[in-house]
Amino acid sequence: MPQLQRLAITPPQICDRKIDLTREQQHYLNRVLRLQAGDRFIAMDGRGHWWLAVLEAQETGLFASITEEIAVNRELPVEVTLMAALPKGNGFDEVVRQATELGVASIVPVTSDRTLLKPSNQKVDRWRRIAAEAAEQSERQIVPTILEPISFEFAVKDCGQKYRYICVARGDNRHLWDCLIGSFDPPFVGAVPPCPPPAGGELSIVIAVGPEGGWTEGEVKRAIEFGFEAVSLGSRILRAVTAPIVALSLVGAAFEKC
């Protein structure tokens, strides 16, 4: 199949194998991508499904017809939640974009003791649009879930994942890589090369990454009380927008290559 453009849609847009395109999607396909009636593209619902679709025209505008479902497997074999303290300025835009490209399943924006940003509803909507665009670009099967910002206290208290890590810049903590290749039972990783869990197996990880200046001692202590393990990302001090990318790259290296 030739390289085709991708478009993220929502499941309610599909009815009787037709896709009801929004005005924004019609503009994007026709004016930005220069697709015409009869041209094909890939529609993805953000929940794991891809379809081959054909653009069609009617008096009220453009719509698309589904011709076939496409079988793909582009996701990590582990469900990763990124719990990220909000950095200054628009830095979280890039965190969302790159985390999506690296395979994250969900992102929890966190307000911490050192967080200055108080995000508006418009910010959250923007992050969700960025995630959808990044999922299209990186050929993801799903669009990561971007949750509403919550406090660090609630984030660690309500965490349901079995494997929980909080990244700490200083201290004598195990490296995240060592945790990933040695902490799972049965060991899904650690072989040479590392291998993912069996198909259908449920494995989920949450990684908490702090703001500028890092987590406070009290926050780290509180996370540990709720079952998090303090881990290192290396000997260098990373920026708040760099640390999530390093952490997720380690997860990809540990679980994806087989």
Side-chain angles (χ1 to χ4, degrees):
M1 181 181 296
Q3 183 70 26
L4 298 176
Q5 299 290 346
R6 295 165 298 281
L7 179 72
I9 62 173
T10 60
Q13 290 181 254
I14 302 175
C15 182
D16 295 329
R17 299 188 67 81
K18 295 186 184 299
I19 302 173
D20 183 20
L21 299 171
T22 66
R23 289 187 179 276
E24 292 78 9
Q25 290 169 338
Q26 293 180 49
H27 175 83
Y28 177 68
L29 291 171
N30 185 233
R31 300 296 184 181
V32 179
L33 298 183
R34 303 296 183 184
L35 298 186
Q36 304 296 323
D39 288 338
R40 301 185 302 170
F41 65 94
I42 294 172
M44 43 181 284
D45 69 352
R47 297 182 179 179
H49 300 99
W50 279 24
W51 295 276
L52 183 62
V54 178
L55 193 62
E56 298 190 33
Q58 57 187 2
E59 290 184 2
T60 56
L62 298 173
F63 70 98
S65 296
I66 293 174
T67 61
E68 63 180 285
E69 186 164 1
I70 303 172
V72 290
N73 183 17
R74 300 286 173 82
E75 296 302 311
L76 290 174
V78 56
E79 184 178 279
V80 185
T81 295
L82 175 66
M83 188 184 296
L86 293 166
K88 294 182 292 186
N90 293 322
F92 205 69
D93 291 6
E94 200 59 26
V95 170
V96 170
R97 182 175 291 106
Q98 296 191 38
T100 298
E101 293 177 8
L102 290 167
V104 75
S106 59
I107 300 176
V108 184
V110 170
T111 56
S112 67
D113 290 343
R114 291 175 174 154
T115 296
L116 300 177
L117 180 65
K118 303 297 181 183
S120 62
N121 291 335
Q122 290 77 12
K123 278 279 189 181
V124 178
D125 290 341
R126 173 178 170 80
W127 296 333
R128 288 170 177 163
R129 288 195 301 272
I130 289 172
E133 292 167 0
E136 292 172 2
Q137 182 276 325
S138 57
E139 301 187 5
R140 292 283 304 272
Q141 289 171 256
I142 68 166
V143 175
T145 301
I146 311 297
L147 279 68
E148 298 287 337
I150 59 174
S151 70
F152 176 81
E153 177 73 16
F154 282 113
V156 296
K157 184 177 181 180
D158 293 343
C159 181
Q161 285 83 354
K162 179 179 179 180
Y163 300 102
R164 312 173 187 182
Y165 305 106
I166 181 168
C167 300
V168 181
R170 293 179 173 84
D172 187 19
N173 299 304
R174 282 205 302 167
H175 197 285
L176 177 60
W177 173 259
D178 295 327
C179 297
L180 294 173
I181 66 171
S183 296
F184 298 95
D185 186 22
F188 297 129
V189 293
V192 181
C195 294
E202 294 183 2
L203 180 61
S204 59
I205 299 173
V206 61
I207 301 176
V209 180
E212 287 88 351
W215 303 111
T216 64
E217 291 184 8
E219 287 171 332
V220 175
K221 180 179 179 181
R222 192 64 171 151
I224 292 173
E225 290 175 355
F226 283 106
F228 281 74
E229 178 178 354
V231 296
S232 167
L233 294 179
S235 58
R236 290 160 299 283
I237 304 301
L238 303 175
R239 296 171 61 224
V241 295
T242 306
I245 311 311
V246 172
L248 293 172
S249 296
L250 290 170
V251 174
F255 287 92
E256 195 164 35
K257 186 176 180 180
C258 207

